[in-house]
Amino acid sequence: MPNYINSVNLRENSDFPYLVLDVVDRHPTPRNPGFHVFHWHHDLQLPYVLVGRVRVQTLVETVTLTAGQGCLIKPEVIHRIEGAPESHYRSFVSPVTMVTFYPGSPAKRLVAETLTTTERSILPFLNDQDWTKKVNGLLRGLNELEQSKGAPLYPYQVLTALTQLWLVIEEHLPTKKLVKPTIAQLRMRQMLAFIDDHYQERLTLTEIAHAAHVGRSECSRCFQKTLATSPIRYLQEYRLEKAAKLLTTTPLPISVIANQVSFGAGPFFSQCFKRRTRVTPRQYRERGPKV
C-alpha cells in the first residue's frame, strides 16, 4: 500500500499563498516530493485539464477528466492525480480563506458548511450541465491569467475569479446532507495535529496515541485504516516533506535541516530522502521547487 503525506503549499508563508502546479506529461512544476503518491493538504485544489486525460483518485472514488474539464478536491482528502502520457493540466491550490473574505464573515460559515456536508470528496465539473460549463470557463480563465502572472492586478484578478467560481458552486450544489466524521476520523485529526505541532521532537508511538486519548494499538489501527500506514512511518514522511521545503527555501546546511526535522546526524536522513525523492538532499536543493 502507498504511504500518504501532508503535502504543504510551497507558498503558504507568502503574502499571496496561491500555488499553481503546471503538470506536463506527468512532470510537475514546481517539483514536490509528495506529488506521485497519495497525499493530502489543508487547501482547496482545482485541477483543470488542458490536454489529454487525467485521473483523480481518492480512497473511495475515481474521476476521469478530459480536456476542458476540472474538479474540486476538498481539503484534507487523501488523493492523487495521475495524468495520461502526453497530458497537460494545471492545479490551482489556495487556502480556504481566499474565498471567505474575512474572519467571522457569513461567507466563511457558508463555505465551511459546504465542505463538511457535501458527501463527495471530489466534485467533478463534466460539462454536462450549464453550471459546470460555467465553472470550467472560470477555470479556463484562471489558466489564462497565468500569462499575466507578476502583473500588478494579477492577485486581485485571481481572487475575483476564485470567488466567482465558488459562488457558482454554492448556487448549484445538490442538496446538502450532514456527514458526521467517524470516531477514527476524529481521533486521526487529533493525532495528525499533534504530529504537525511536535514533529521536530523525538516522538514515540505512545505520545502520538495519547494525543487522541487512545492506546498504542488503537493508534496504529486508526492510521492503518485511514492512511494505510503506521504512525511512525507517517511521521517520517511528514518530516521528509518539511525537510524538502527547508532545502529549497533556506540556505541552512543539510546537517542542520536533518536535525531540525529530528532525523539527527549521520547518513540516515539522506538515505530516507533519496528513497522518497530518488535524489539526494543536495541534488534536490539544486533542482528542487522554485516558486
Side-chain angles (χ1 to χ4, degrees), residues 47-55 65-70 87-90:
Y48 179 72
V49 183
L50 300 170
V51 177
R53 188 177 69 257
V54 170
R55 185 174 66 177
L65 306 173
T66 57
Q69 297 178 339
S87 62
H88 181 193
Y89 70 93
R90 278 183 167 154

Side-chain angles (χ1 to χ4, degrees), residues 59-283:
L59 298 182
V60 295
E61 65 179 319
T62 299
V63 170
T64 299
L65 306 173
T66 57
Q69 297 178 339
C71 73
L72 167 68
I73 304 174
K74 292 167 59 176
E76 300 181 19
V77 168
I78 297 166
H79 68 279
R80 70 175 175 179
I81 306 175
E82 184 178 30
E86 300 182 358
S87 62
H88 181 193
Y89 70 93
R90 278 183 167 154
S91 266
F92 308 104
V93 181
S94 72
V96 177
T97 52
M98 281 194 168
V99 294
T100 59
F101 296 98
Y102 58 87
S105 75
K108 182 177 180 179
R109 294 191 295 273
L110 184 65
V111 171
E113 179 184 276
T114 296
L115 293 175
T116 56
T117 61
T118 303
E119 290 187 271
R120 299 191 67 176
S121 54
I122 306 173
L123 182 63
F125 311 123
L126 301 180
N127 282 331
D128 55 348
Q129 299 179 65
D130 288 342
W131 77 271
T132 55
K133 292 178 183 178
K134 188 172 182 179
V135 171
N136 284 326
L138 289 164
L139 288 172
R140 184 168 59 252
L142 282 173
N143 178 63
E144 292 168 356
L145 278 176
E146 291 307 291
Q147 298 176 13
S148 60
K149 187 174 182 178
L153 291 179
Y154 170 79
Y156 199 76
Q157 291 169 325
V158 168
L159 290 170
T160 301
L162 285 174
T163 51
Q164 287 179 327
L165 188 153
W166 194 264
L167 177 60
V168 176
I169 292 174
E170 289 286 355
E171 288 174 337
H172 296 91
L173 270 182
T175 303
K176 299 172 185 177
K177 179 182 178 181
L178 182 61
V179 181
K180 294 183 179 180
T182 65
I183 293 176
Q185 289 172 332
L186 291 172
R187 288 171 175 169
M188 284 299 298
R189 289 179 186 177
Q190 292 174 305
M191 292 186 286
L192 293 177
F194 178 79
I195 288 174
D196 184 49
D197 290 337
H198 300 278
Y199 72 92
Q200 293 176 301
E201 304 168 16
R202 292 190 178 279
L203 298 181
T204 65
L205 176 59
T206 299
E207 289 171 324
I208 296 172
H210 282 177
H213 310 290
V214 297
R216 290 158 53 98
S217 60
E218 177 61 14
C219 170
S220 296
R221 189 193 71 81
C222 287
F223 269 83
Q224 195 63 44
K225 180 179 180 180
T226 308
L227 303 182
T229 191
S230 71
I232 299 305
R233 186 61 183 271
Y234 172 84
L235 174 61
Q236 184 183 98
E237 297 288 346
Y238 191 80
R239 287 168 170 164
L240 289 172
E241 176 82 5
K242 292 292 187 179
K245 183 174 182 180
L246 290 171
L247 284 168
T248 55
T249 58
T250 75
L252 291 171
I254 292 172
S255 60
V256 172
I257 291 175
N259 279 314
Q260 281 200 7
V261 297
S262 200
F263 267 90
F268 183 60
F269 169 66
S270 293
Q271 292 169 359
C272 292
F273 194 89
K274 187 173 183 179
R275 191 180 305 123
R276 164 53 61 202
T277 65
R278 299 184 181 180
V279 294
T280 66
R282 188 176 303 279
Q283 290 170 329

